[in-house]
Amino acid sequence: MKWFLGDDYAQIRFSESTRSFSVDIVMVPAAHRGQGIGTTLIQHIIHLADCMGKDVYLSARPIGSFSAEKLDRLVAYYRRLGFEVIDTGLTVSHMRREPAARPG
């Protein structure tokens, strides 16, 4: 899914299985970061998963040179969206978000 931003675009790539979605790539050009575009793209997948009762998985891995601080900020960002860490390596944290409970 792409979000066109004039002469550039943001995108999210994901896959779906019978039980879950997997967010593979979230990319927002540097000039457009901090505007909520990435969050909107991720929330779209979260909404689909919630409607279908599926988990969402992703691997939080900072772009560019690695630092523990960058990874910590990225993990905190995804936690605000409802993801929890299920495994952590040196440069990546694997995360999962369970579907929201449906009312009724």
Side-chain angles (χ1 to χ4, degrees), residues 64-81:
S65 60
F66 173 79
S67 76
E69 181 182 332
K70 284 183 183 179
L71 181 58
D72 290 345
R73 282 196 316 262
L74 192 55
V75 166
Y77 167 76
Y78 285 120
R79 282 183 192 255
R80 287 191 300 273
L81 294 171

Side-chain angles (χ1 to χ4, degrees), residues 4-99:
F4 290 96
L5 306 164
D7 60 349
D8 211 345
Y9 62 90
Q11 69 175 318
I12 187 167
R13 292 186 190 170
F14 63 95
S15 53
E16 180 185 5
S17 70
T18 56
R19 293 186 175 175
S20 65
F21 283 88
S22 176
V23 175
D24 304 315
I25 295 173
V26 178
M27 188 175 69
V28 178
H32 298 280
R33 292 184 189 146
Q35 299 175 25
I37 295 167
T39 300
T40 299
L41 292 171
I42 293 166
Q43 286 175 331
H44 179 74
I45 304 306
I46 288 171
H47 177 74
L48 288 174
D50 285 350
C51 288
M52 300 171 81
K54 295 183 178 189
D55 290 345
V56 180
Y57 291 90
L58 60 81
S59 295
R61 181 184 325 249
I63 296 173
S65 60
F66 173 79
S67 76
E69 181 182 332
K70 284 183 183 179
L71 181 58
D72 290 345
R73 282 196 316 262
L74 192 55
V75 166
Y77 167 76
Y78 285 120
R79 282 183 192 255
R80 287 191 300 273
L81 294 171
F83 288 86
E84 292 299 324
V85 174
I86 55 175
D87 189 29
T88 299
L90 292 175
T91 61
V92 63
S93 287
H94 303 285
M95 303 182 78
R96 177 182 77 209
R97 182 187 183 280
E98 294 181 356

